[in-house]
């Protein structure tokens, strides 16, 4: 059974701090997604990656396939980054089914 | 429209009634996914389609839940004989498919079974 574990569950930071959210999974995957869920409930896809590293603005996502681990980094965090960040993985068995982590709630204080 | 559209936005129904939730994906998106999200939890996979074909329905909790996408565009998730435990946010997402393109999520339907 594929388990997706995120840490920490909750994270509070001061504006400007560097943030790291971790995701570990237990089976082979074909892709990993990082999603952002706003306080209002909407979900936005941030990254989809299967190897290496991707960067978009202040956000960086990395994945280590051998270690079955991914990290999402936020540089120069801002209160508007406050949201729940969700990791989801797609197995390598041919289905596009995603297994989701429980999310990391980030609060950035001014 | 430009995004994934779900309707209704909110649905309150009495236990035992049937409900139908609609998802209108982004035009041209091949894949359509249904998820359920309980309060304070991450989303949970229900089922997905490529075009009109239902590829994986392993996440549907029981046979009261069904989904269809007859023309490869709009999809309907139907819950028969609703129970209180079915109360949740039901989310739809779509993508260009093949498991290698980003997901675009709708705003969801909040279902409350009383």
């Amino acid at each position: 059974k594929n388990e997706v574990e995120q840490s920490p569950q909750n994270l509070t930071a001061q504006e400007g701090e560097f943030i790291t959210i971790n995701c570990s999974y237990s089976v082979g995957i074909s892709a990993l997604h990082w999603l952002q869920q706003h306080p209002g409930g909407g979900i936005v896809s941030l990254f989809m990656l299967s190897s290496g590293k991707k960067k978009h603005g202040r956000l960086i996502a990395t994945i280590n396939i051998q270690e079955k681990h991914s990290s999402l980094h936020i540089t120069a965090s801002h209160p508007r980054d406050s949201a729940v960040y969700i990791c989801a993985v797609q197995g390598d068995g041919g289905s596009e089914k995603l297994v989701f982590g429980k999310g990391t709630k980030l609060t950035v204080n001014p | 429209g430009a995004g994934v559209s779900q309707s209704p936005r909110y649905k309150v129904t009495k236990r035992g009634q049937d409900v139908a939730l609609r998802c209108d994906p982004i035009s041209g998106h091949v894949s359509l996914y249904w998820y359920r999200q309980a309060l304070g939890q991450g989303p949970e996979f229900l089922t997905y389609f490529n075009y009109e074909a239902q590829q994986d329905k392993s996440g549907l909790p029981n046979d009261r839940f069904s989904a269809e996408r007859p023309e490869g565009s709009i999809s309907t998730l139907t819950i028969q004989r609703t129970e209180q435990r079915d109360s949740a946010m039901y989310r739809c997402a779509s993508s260009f498919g093949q498991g290698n393109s980003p997901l675009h999520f709708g705003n969801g339907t909040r279902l409350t079974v009383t």
Side-chain angles (χ1 to χ4, degrees):
Chain A
K1 182 181 175 185
N2 188 16
E3 302 281 348
V4 179
E5 299 287 338
Q6 285 186 236
S7 63
Q9 276 190 297
N10 293 283
L11 181 56
T12 300
Q14 288 301 120
E15 184 173 356
E17 287 184 2
F18 180 82
I19 303 292
T20 296
I21 298 171
N22 297 298
C23 175
S24 297
Y25 52 92
S26 58
V27 299
I29 67 168
S30 59
L32 182 143
H33 297 252
W34 280 104
L35 309 170
Q36 180 191 53
Q37 184 161 19
H38 299 291
I43 297 178
V44 174
S45 176
L46 298 175
F47 295 103
M48 187 183 69
L49 63 166
S50 55
S51 65
K53 176 179 173 178
K54 286 191 176 180
K55 184 176 189 295
H56 182 70
R58 295 181 295 105
L59 302 178
I60 303 166
T62 64
I63 188 168
N64 183 319
I65 297 295
Q66 288 73 31
E67 297 289 325
K68 293 186 169 59
H69 181 269
S70 175
S71 293
L72 176 68
H73 305 285
I74 305 174
T75 61
S77 59
H78 190 276
R80 65 174 175 266
D81 297 326
S82 298
V84 175
Y85 293 83
I86 302 171
C87 169
V89 302
Q90 179 178 317
D92 60 2
S95 172
E96 294 176 35
K97 170 181 179 176
L98 289 183
V99 178
F100 294 81
K102 292 185 178 179
T104 295
K105 184 176 180 181
L106 171 66
T107 303
V108 182
N109 293 317
Chain B
V4 177
S5 177
Q6 290 188 246
S7 60
R9 188 78 173 91
Y10 301 93
K11 177 70 177 177
V12 180
T13 191
K14 291 185 188 292
R15 187 178 55 186
Q17 297 294 305
D18 298 351
V19 295
L21 312 180
R22 173 184 164 127
C23 173
D24 194 348
I26 291 174
S27 178
H29 276 191
V30 167
S31 297
L32 184 148
Y33 313 80
W34 282 101
Y35 302 101
R36 177 169 72 173
Q37 188 172 19
L39 202 59
Q41 300 292 316
E44 171 192 22
F45 170 83
L46 296 177
T47 185
Y48 86 95
F49 295 82
N50 281 341
Y51 299 103
E52 73 281 359
Q54 192 170 20
Q55 299 291 334
D56 186 334
K57 56 180 181 179
S58 63
L60 295 177
N62 51 61
D63 61 7
R64 295 186 297 104
F65 287 73
S66 63
E68 62 175 9
R69 193 187 184 198
E71 297 178 2
S73 179
I74 293 167
S75 177
T76 303
L77 177 70
T78 301
I79 309 172
Q80 295 179 307
R81 305 181 302 282
T82 52
E83 300 178 5
Q84 284 187 319
R85 60 180 170 154
D86 299 334
S87 297
M89 175 71 84
Y90 288 83
R91 296 191 183 273
C92 172
S94 69
S95 77
F96 283 113
Q98 299 186 349
N100 59 6
S101 56
L103 301 175
H104 297 260
F105 285 81
N107 286 327
T109 294
R110 168 71 68 188
L111 175 66
T112 303
V113 182
T114 61

